[in-house]
Amino acid sequence: MKQNVLLKSLIIIMLMFNFMDLFPQSYSEAWKKVEKYEEEGLPKSALTEAVKIRTMADKKGDFAQFVKASVAVLNLQVDVDPDTFMDGVEEMEKNLQGREDAVERSVVDAVMSSSYKMMLSSYRYAFDEESRTKLEELKDKHFSHILDNMEALAGANARDYESLVSIQKDGGLYNHDMLSV
């Protein structure tokens, strides 16, 4: 009887440690793991950690961390297999679209415009003329919407998006708003 209780307790403790590893305690700890794996030349391990961060951010509703992790996942997927770039950008767009918040929509448009631009410059000769034109149109569409709601951007604190933007001393002149980053 005592052995059953001891065995069950041991199993529960082991499961707790396994689940604790699935979701890091903090974003900073998790990003340190990603950086460590990248420095060690282990992109698959870094990718696994970035996916965990994206999952954690999605569950917590942390938009900025979700976007940062989505971009990291895309970049790491390309490190593992360069042929996944186009699919990765499409997946990222699917994950990020449908945002109601005006600032979030602007961030999504900036990220997607940049991603399409990177895709076009990195894979320019992999596309036929029709595909290049479509990608240029998508890039331009997203770019043209970045500043759709300048009032919302001016009213949004950049510190709320600190994982995506660099907060500089001079930003204080504009109250560290998202319009001035």
Side-chain angles (χ1 to χ4, degrees), residues 1-180:
M1 183 72 149
K2 269 188 171 181
Q3 286 179 336
N4 282 344
V5 171
L6 186 60
L7 184 62
K8 287 179 184 178
S9 298
L10 185 61
I11 290 171
I12 289 172
I13 290 171
M14 288 172 54
L15 285 173
M16 283 175 40
F17 281 114
N18 283 339
F19 285 120
M20 283 173 56
D21 189 46
L22 280 177
F23 297 103
Q25 299 299 327
S26 72
Y27 290 117
S28 126
E29 287 175 28
W31 285 113
K32 283 178 186 171
K33 278 185 178 180
V34 171
E35 289 171 17
K36 181 181 139 252
Y37 286 133
E38 286 180 308
E39 288 168 4
E40 293 173 357
L42 301 169
K44 284 184 181 179
S45 298
L47 175 59
T48 299
E49 292 303 318
V51 169
K52 287 180 188 178
I53 295 169
R54 185 177 65 184
T55 301
M56 180 170 68
D58 191 30
K59 286 183 186 228
K60 288 183 175 184
D62 188 332
F63 172 76
Q65 287 289 342
F66 183 76
V67 171
K68 180 180 178 179
S70 294
V71 171
V73 166
L74 175 64
N75 290 331
L76 291 164
Q77 283 175 332
V78 171
D79 284 350
V80 172
D81 181 4
D83 292 335
T84 62
F85 189 73
M86 290 179 278
D87 292 336
V89 169
E90 289 173 6
E91 178 188 350
M92 189 167 68
E93 178 147 25
K94 202 180 327 174
N95 287 338
L96 294 176
Q97 67 184 191
R99 297 289 168 169
E100 297 295 321
D101 181 79
V103 176
E104 289 181 5
R105 281 195 316 269
S106 290
V107 169
V108 168
D109 283 324
V111 167
M112 294 313 306
S113 176
S114 177
S115 296
Y116 284 120
K117 181 178 180 180
M118 189 185 319
M119 183 189 298
L120 281 162
S121 65
S122 298
Y123 296 94
R124 184 155 230 29
Y125 301 107
F127 302 115
D128 60 27
E129 188 62 34
E130 184 179 332
S131 297
R132 268 195 307 277
T133 301
K134 181 182 177 199
L135 291 171
E136 285 285 350
E137 287 170 358
L138 286 167
K139 174 187 68 83
D140 293 344
K141 177 190 91 164
H142 283 290
F143 185 79
S144 71
H145 290 293
I146 293 171
L147 297 176
D148 275 356
N149 195 330
M150 293 188 345
E151 189 176 310
L153 290 168
N157 191 332
R159 293 191 193 290
D160 294 338
Y161 302 88
E162 198 164 6
S163 58
L164 295 174
V165 298
S166 176
I167 307 293
Q168 301 293 317
K169 181 181 170 186
D170 291 343
L173 297 171
Y174 303 99
N175 296 318
H176 295 292
D177 64 36
M178 284 297 285
L179 183 59
S180 64

